[in-house]
Amino acid sequence: YNKATYSTDLCNQLLNIYAPSGSVIYDPFIGTGTTAVSCKELGYTYLGSELSENQCRWAEDRLEKCQ
């Protein structure tokens, strides 16, 4: 759905550099959920919003599969 994507690995690296432990991360354009997946992997609390219903469903499905 989204042409402007980036890797979870990149997001993990950026969160490790810039987000102190215990941070709440807000992604105003959640898209395919990459930032949320990264937050889930690293143990951060996250919030996201998206205008596209299709992208919300895509991100929710992706997050359900993530451990």
Side-chain angles (χ1 to χ4, degrees):
Y1 289 113
N2 195 345
K3 294 178 183 177
T5 61
Y6 49 91
S7 70
T8 303
D9 183 54
L10 173 62
C11 196
N12 286 348
Q13 291 177 39
L14 292 171
L15 287 170
N16 283 325
I17 293 168
Y18 295 109
S21 180
S23 294
V24 176
I25 308 301
Y26 174 59
D27 183 357
F29 310 103
I30 201 164
T32 59
T34 302
T35 300
V37 168
S38 184
C39 287
K40 197 168 181 181
E41 288 179 0
L42 297 174
Y44 289 99
T45 301
Y46 60 90
L47 300 166
S49 57
E50 177 61 57
L51 290 175
S52 167
E53 251 184 83
N54 287 338
Q55 290 220 23
C56 286
R57 277 191 290 261
W58 179 276
E60 287 171 354
D61 289 344
R62 187 174 175 197
L63 284 164
E64 286 177 10
K65 295 173 187 171
C66 178
Q67 294 194 37

PDB file of all heavy atoms in Angstrom, residues 1 8 32-33 36-38 40-41 46 56-67:
ATOM      1  N   TYR A   1       0.808  -1.201   0.000  1.00  0.00           N
ATOM      2  CA  TYR A   1       0.000   0.000   0.000  1.00  0.00           C
ATOM      3  C   TYR A   1       0.851   1.265   0.000  1.00  0.00           C
ATOM      4  O   TYR A   1       0.437   2.292  -0.479  1.00  0.00           O
ATOM      5  CB  TYR A   1      -0.904   0.034   1.225  1.00  0.00           C
ATOM      6  CG  TYR A   1      -2.028  -0.976   1.170  1.00  0.00           C
ATOM      7  CD1 TYR A   1      -2.067  -2.038   2.051  1.00  0.00           C
ATOM      8  CD2 TYR A   1      -3.031  -0.844   0.229  1.00  0.00           C
ATOM      9  CE1 TYR A   1      -3.100  -2.944   2.006  1.00  0.00           C
ATOM     10  CE2 TYR A   1      -4.055  -1.758   0.175  1.00  0.00           C
ATOM     11  CZ  TYR A   1      -4.089  -2.805   1.063  1.00  0.00           C
ATOM     12  OH  TYR A   1      -5.105  -3.706   1.016  1.00  0.00           O
ATOM     13  N   THR A   8      12.532  -2.230   9.267  1.00  0.00           N
ATOM     14  CA  THR A   8      12.390  -2.316  10.717  1.00  0.00           C
ATOM     15  C   THR A   8      13.759  -2.172  11.365  1.00  0.00           C
ATOM     16  O   THR A   8      13.894  -1.562  12.421  1.00  0.00           O
ATOM     17  CB  THR A   8      11.736  -3.652  11.111  1.00  0.00           C
ATOM     18  OG1 THR A   8      10.486  -3.754  10.434  1.00  0.00           O
ATOM     19  CG2 THR A   8      11.494  -3.744  12.604  1.00  0.00           C
ATOM     20  N   THR A  32       2.320   1.121   6.964  1.00  0.00           N
ATOM     21  CA  THR A  32       2.366  -0.335   7.052  1.00  0.00           C
ATOM     22  C   THR A  32       2.759  -0.832   8.437  1.00  0.00           C
ATOM     23  O   THR A  32       2.868  -2.030   8.647  1.00  0.00           O
ATOM     24  CB  THR A  32       3.323  -0.920   6.001  1.00  0.00           C
ATOM     25  OG1 THR A  32       4.627  -0.388   6.207  1.00  0.00           O
ATOM     26  CG2 THR A  32       2.844  -0.604   4.588  1.00  0.00           C
ATOM     27  N   GLY A  33       3.007   0.079   9.368  1.00  0.00           N
ATOM     28  CA  GLY A  33       3.259  -0.306  10.758  1.00  0.00           C
ATOM     29  C   GLY A  33       4.695  -0.577  11.131  1.00  0.00           C
ATOM     30  O   GLY A  33       4.962  -1.156  12.186  1.00  0.00           O
ATOM     31  N   ALA A  36       5.667   0.805  14.542  1.00  0.00           N
ATOM     32  CA  ALA A  36       4.967   0.065  15.595  1.00  0.00           C
ATOM     33  C   ALA A  36       5.587  -1.311  15.809  1.00  0.00           C
ATOM     34  O   ALA A  36       5.759  -1.752  16.948  1.00  0.00           O
ATOM     35  CB  ALA A  36       3.490  -0.060  15.256  1.00  0.00           C
ATOM     36  N   VAL A  37       5.943  -1.990  14.725  1.00  0.00           N
ATOM     37  CA  VAL A  37       6.601  -3.295  14.835  1.00  0.00           C
ATOM     38  C   VAL A  37       7.922  -3.148  15.571  1.00  0.00           C
ATOM     39  O   VAL A  37       8.244  -3.924  16.478  1.00  0.00           O
ATOM     40  CB  VAL A  37       6.810  -3.929  13.435  1.00  0.00           C
ATOM     41  CG1 VAL A  37       7.749  -5.124  13.506  1.00  0.00           C
ATOM     42  CG2 VAL A  37       5.479  -4.335  12.829  1.00  0.00           C
ATOM     43  N   SER A  38       8.680  -2.145  15.210  1.00  0.00           N
ATOM     44  CA  SER A  38       9.957  -1.897  15.872  1.00  0.00           C
ATOM     45  C   SER A  38       9.759  -1.625  17.363  1.00  0.00           C
ATOM     46  O   SER A  38      10.474  -2.166  18.209  1.00  0.00           O
ATOM     47  CB  SER A  38      10.665  -0.715  15.199  1.00  0.00           C
ATOM     48  OG  SER A  38      11.934  -0.515  15.752  1.00  0.00           O
ATOM     49  N   LYS A  40       7.303  -2.586  19.226  1.00  0.00           N
ATOM     50  CA  LYS A  40       6.875  -3.839  19.854  1.00  0.00           C
ATOM     51  C   LYS A  40       8.088  -4.743  20.107  1.00  0.00           C
ATOM     52  O   LYS A  40       8.222  -5.329  21.171  1.00  0.00           O
ATOM     53  CB  LYS A  40       5.847  -4.537  18.973  1.00  0.00           C
ATOM     54  CG  LYS A  40       5.051  -5.590  19.669  1.00  0.00           C
ATOM     55  CD  LYS A  40       3.871  -6.030  18.818  1.00  0.00           C
ATOM     56  CE  LYS A  40       3.052  -7.076  19.551  1.00  0.00           C
ATOM     57  NZ  LYS A  40       1.918  -7.529  18.753  1.00  0.00           N
ATOM     58  N   GLU A  41       8.974  -4.828  19.124  1.00  0.00           N
ATOM     59  CA  GLU A  41      10.186  -5.646  19.265  1.00  0.00           C
ATOM     60  C   GLU A  41      11.090  -5.130  20.383  1.00  0.00           C
ATOM     61  O   GLU A  41      11.703  -5.915  21.102  1.00  0.00           O
ATOM     62  CB  GLU A  41      10.979  -5.669  17.959  1.00  0.00           C
ATOM     63  CG  GLU A  41      10.349  -6.488  16.868  1.00  0.00           C
ATOM     64  CD  GLU A  41      11.142  -6.469  15.571  1.00  0.00           C
ATOM     65  OE1 GLU A  41      12.214  -5.816  15.504  1.00  0.00           O
ATOM     66  OE2 GLU A  41      10.684  -7.110  14.605  1.00  0.00           O
ATOM     67  N   TYR A  46       3.672   2.422  21.982  1.00  0.00           N
ATOM     68  CA  TYR A  46       3.519   3.182  20.745  1.00  0.00           C
ATOM     69  C   TYR A  46       2.060   3.533  20.493  1.00  0.00           C
ATOM     70  O   TYR A  46       1.150   2.849  20.955  1.00  0.00           O
ATOM     71  CB  TYR A  46       4.068   2.394  19.548  1.00  0.00           C
ATOM     72  CG  TYR A  46       3.376   1.071  19.339  1.00  0.00           C
ATOM     73  CD1 TYR A  46       2.251   0.984  18.535  1.00  0.00           C
ATOM     74  CD2 TYR A  46       3.836  -0.072  19.962  1.00  0.00           C
ATOM     75  CE1 TYR A  46       1.596  -0.220  18.366  1.00  0.00           C
ATOM     76  CE2 TYR A  46       3.196  -1.290  19.799  1.00  0.00           C
ATOM     77  CZ  TYR A  46       2.075  -1.350  18.999  1.00  0.00           C
ATOM     78  OH  TYR A  46       1.425  -2.540  18.835  1.00  0.00           O
ATOM     79  N   CYS A  56      -4.488   0.874   7.863  1.00  0.00           N
ATOM     80  CA  CYS A  56      -4.706   0.518   9.277  1.00  0.00           C
ATOM     81  C   CYS A  56      -4.875  -0.984   9.429  1.00  0.00           C
ATOM     82  O   CYS A  56      -4.269  -1.600  10.315  1.00  0.00           O
ATOM     83  CB  CYS A  56      -5.932   1.240   9.835  1.00  0.00           C
ATOM     84  SG  CYS A  56      -5.672   2.978  10.150  1.00  0.00           S
ATOM     85  N   ARG A  57      -5.678  -1.577   8.568  1.00  0.00           N
ATOM     86  CA  ARG A  57      -5.883  -3.034   8.625  1.00  0.00           C
ATOM     87  C   ARG A  57      -4.577  -3.774   8.359  1.00  0.00           C
ATOM     88  O   ARG A  57      -4.247  -4.752   9.021  1.00  0.00           O
ATOM     89  CB  ARG A  57      -6.954  -3.467   7.635  1.00  0.00           C
ATOM     90  CG  ARG A  57      -8.360  -3.286   8.178  1.00  0.00           C
ATOM     91  CD  ARG A  57      -9.368  -3.964   7.288  1.00  0.00           C
ATOM     92  NE  ARG A  57      -9.480  -3.251   6.021  1.00  0.00           N
ATOM     93  CZ  ARG A  57     -10.441  -2.378   5.725  1.00  0.00           C
ATOM     94  NH1 ARG A  57     -11.390  -2.139   6.579  1.00  0.00           N
ATOM     95  NH2 ARG A  57     -10.469  -1.758   4.573  1.00  0.00           N
ATOM     96  N   TRP A  58      -3.827  -3.303   7.371  1.00  0.00           N
ATOM     97  CA  TRP A  58      -2.539  -3.910   7.024  1.00  0.00           C
ATOM     98  C   TRP A  58      -1.608  -3.869   8.241  1.00  0.00           C
ATOM     99  O   TRP A  58      -1.007  -4.885   8.603  1.00  0.00           O
ATOM    100  CB  TRP A  58      -1.913  -3.164   5.846  1.00  0.00           C
ATOM    101  CG  TRP A  58      -0.581  -3.695   5.415  1.00  0.00           C
ATOM    102  CD1 TRP A  58       0.630  -3.389   5.954  1.00  0.00           C
ATOM    103  CD2 TRP A  58      -0.331  -4.624   4.372  1.00  0.00           C
ATOM    104  NE1 TRP A  58       1.617  -4.059   5.301  1.00  0.00           N
ATOM    105  CE2 TRP A  58       1.054  -4.829   4.322  1.00  0.00           C
ATOM    106  CE3 TRP A  58      -1.146  -5.289   3.470  1.00  0.00           C
ATOM    107  CZ2 TRP A  58       1.643  -5.683   3.402  1.00  0.00           C
ATOM    108  CZ3 TRP A  58      -0.548  -6.145   2.562  1.00  0.00           C
ATOM    109  CH2 TRP A  58       0.825  -6.329   2.529  1.00  0.00           C
ATOM    110  N   ALA A  59      -1.494  -2.700   8.869  1.00  0.00           N
ATOM    111  CA  ALA A  59      -0.615  -2.551  10.034  1.00  0.00           C
ATOM    112  C   ALA A  59      -1.103  -3.412  11.201  1.00  0.00           C
ATOM    113  O   ALA A  59      -0.289  -4.050  11.885  1.00  0.00           O
ATOM    114  CB  ALA A  59      -0.541  -1.079  10.443  1.00  0.00           C
ATOM    115  N   GLU A  60      -2.401  -3.463  11.432  1.00  0.00           N
ATOM    116  CA  GLU A  60      -2.942  -4.290  12.517  1.00  0.00           C
ATOM    117  C   GLU A  60      -2.628  -5.768  12.290  1.00  0.00           C
ATOM    118  O   GLU A  60      -2.217  -6.466  13.220  1.00  0.00           O
ATOM    119  CB  GLU A  60      -4.453  -4.092  12.636  1.00  0.00           C
ATOM    120  CG  GLU A  60      -4.840  -2.761  13.237  1.00  0.00           C
ATOM    121  CD  GLU A  60      -6.334  -2.483  13.162  1.00  0.00           C
ATOM    122  OE1 GLU A  60      -7.083  -3.270  12.537  1.00  0.00           O
ATOM    123  OE2 GLU A  60      -6.753  -1.476  13.746  1.00  0.00           O
ATOM    124  N   ASP A  61      -2.816  -6.239  11.063  1.00  0.00           N
ATOM    125  CA  ASP A  61      -2.497  -7.632  10.741  1.00  0.00           C
ATOM    126  C   ASP A  61      -1.005  -7.902  10.958  1.00  0.00           C
ATOM    127  O   ASP A  61      -0.625  -8.939  11.504  1.00  0.00           O
ATOM    128  CB  ASP A  61      -2.873  -7.963   9.293  1.00  0.00           C
ATOM    129  CG  ASP A  61      -4.375  -8.042   9.071  1.00  0.00           C
ATOM    130  OD1 ASP A  61      -5.130  -8.150  10.060  1.00  0.00           O
ATOM    131  OD2 ASP A  61      -4.792  -7.959   7.896  1.00  0.00           O
ATOM    132  N   ARG A  62      -0.188  -6.979  10.529  1.00  0.00           N
ATOM    133  CA  ARG A  62       1.266  -7.134  10.681  1.00  0.00           C
ATOM    134  C   ARG A  62       1.644  -7.180  12.168  1.00  0.00           C
ATOM    135  O   ARG A  62       2.461  -8.003  12.569  1.00  0.00           O
ATOM    136  CB  ARG A  62       1.958  -5.964   9.989  1.00  0.00           C
ATOM    137  CG  ARG A  62       3.429  -6.086   9.932  1.00  0.00           C
ATOM    138  CD  ARG A  62       4.034  -4.976   9.110  1.00  0.00           C
ATOM    139  NE  ARG A  62       5.475  -5.063   9.178  1.00  0.00           N
ATOM    140  CZ  ARG A  62       6.280  -4.079   8.858  1.00  0.00           C
ATOM    141  NH1 ARG A  62       5.788  -2.947   8.385  1.00  0.00           N
ATOM    142  NH2 ARG A  62       7.587  -4.211   8.961  1.00  0.00           N
ATOM    143  N   LEU A  63       1.039  -6.337  12.970  1.00  0.00           N
ATOM    144  CA  LEU A  63       1.340  -6.303  14.408  1.00  0.00           C
ATOM    145  C   LEU A  63       0.868  -7.566  15.127  1.00  0.00           C
ATOM    146  O   LEU A  63       1.526  -8.033  16.052  1.00  0.00           O
ATOM    147  CB  LEU A  63       0.719  -5.069  15.051  1.00  0.00           C
ATOM    148  CG  LEU A  63       1.472  -3.785  14.772  1.00  0.00           C
ATOM    149  CD1 LEU A  63       0.604  -2.586  15.101  1.00  0.00           C
ATOM    150  CD2 LEU A  63       2.762  -3.753  15.553  1.00  0.00           C
ATOM    151  N   GLU A  64      -0.252  -8.131  14.688  1.00  0.00           N
ATOM    152  CA  GLU A  64      -0.736  -9.370  15.285  1.00  0.00           C
ATOM    153  C   GLU A  64       0.240 -10.514  15.075  1.00  0.00           C
ATOM    154  O   GLU A  64       0.353 -11.403  15.911  1.00  0.00           O
ATOM    155  CB  GLU A  64      -2.117  -9.734  14.729  1.00  0.00           C
ATOM    156  CG  GLU A  64      -3.225  -8.865  15.261  1.00  0.00           C
ATOM    157  CD  GLU A  64      -4.567  -9.194  14.642  1.00  0.00           C
ATOM    158  OE1 GLU A  64      -4.689 -10.205  13.933  1.00  0.00           O
ATOM    159  OE2 GLU A  64      -5.501  -8.405  14.870  1.00  0.00           O
ATOM    160  N   LYS A  65       0.962 -10.500  13.953  1.00  0.00           N
ATOM    161  CA  LYS A  65       1.921 -11.552  13.632  1.00  0.00           C
ATOM    162  C   LYS A  65       3.265 -11.336  14.324  1.00  0.00           C
ATOM    163  O   LYS A  65       4.082 -12.243  14.373  1.00  0.00           O
ATOM    164  CB  LYS A  65       2.121 -11.627  12.117  1.00  0.00           C
ATOM    165  CG  LYS A  65       0.863 -12.042  11.385  1.00  0.00           C
ATOM    166  CD  LYS A  65       1.049 -11.947   9.898  1.00  0.00           C
ATOM    167  CE  LYS A  65      -0.273 -12.212   9.181  1.00  0.00           C
ATOM    168  NZ  LYS A  65      -0.201 -11.925   7.760  1.00  0.00           N
ATOM    169  N   CYS A  66       3.498 -10.152  14.818  1.00  0.00           N
ATOM    170  CA  CYS A  66       4.763  -9.786  15.454  1.00  0.00           C
ATOM    171  C   CYS A  66       4.748 -10.230  16.917  1.00  0.00           C
ATOM    172  O   CYS A  66       3.748 -10.110  17.605  1.00  0.00           O
ATOM    173  CB  CYS A  66       4.943  -8.275  15.361  1.00  0.00           C
ATOM    174  SG  CYS A  66       6.419  -7.666  16.145  1.00  0.00           S
ATOM    175  N   GLN A  67       5.873 -10.718  17.392  1.00  0.00           N
ATOM    176  CA  GLN A  67       5.952 -11.131  18.804  1.00  0.00           C
ATOM    177  C   GLN A  67       6.669 -10.130  19.633  1.00  0.00           C
ATOM    178  O   GLN A  67       7.490  -9.484  19.529  1.00  0.00           O
ATOM    179  CB  GLN A  67       6.631 -12.480  18.897  1.00  0.00           C
ATOM    180  CG  GLN A  67       5.766 -13.522  18.241  1.00  0.00           C
ATOM    181  CD  GLN A  67       6.213 -14.908  18.605  1.00  0.00           C
ATOM    182  OE1 GLN A  67       6.613 -15.150  19.718  1.00  0.00           O
ATOM    183  NE2 GLN A  67       6.151 -15.803  17.657  1.00  0.00           N
TER     184      GLN A  67
END
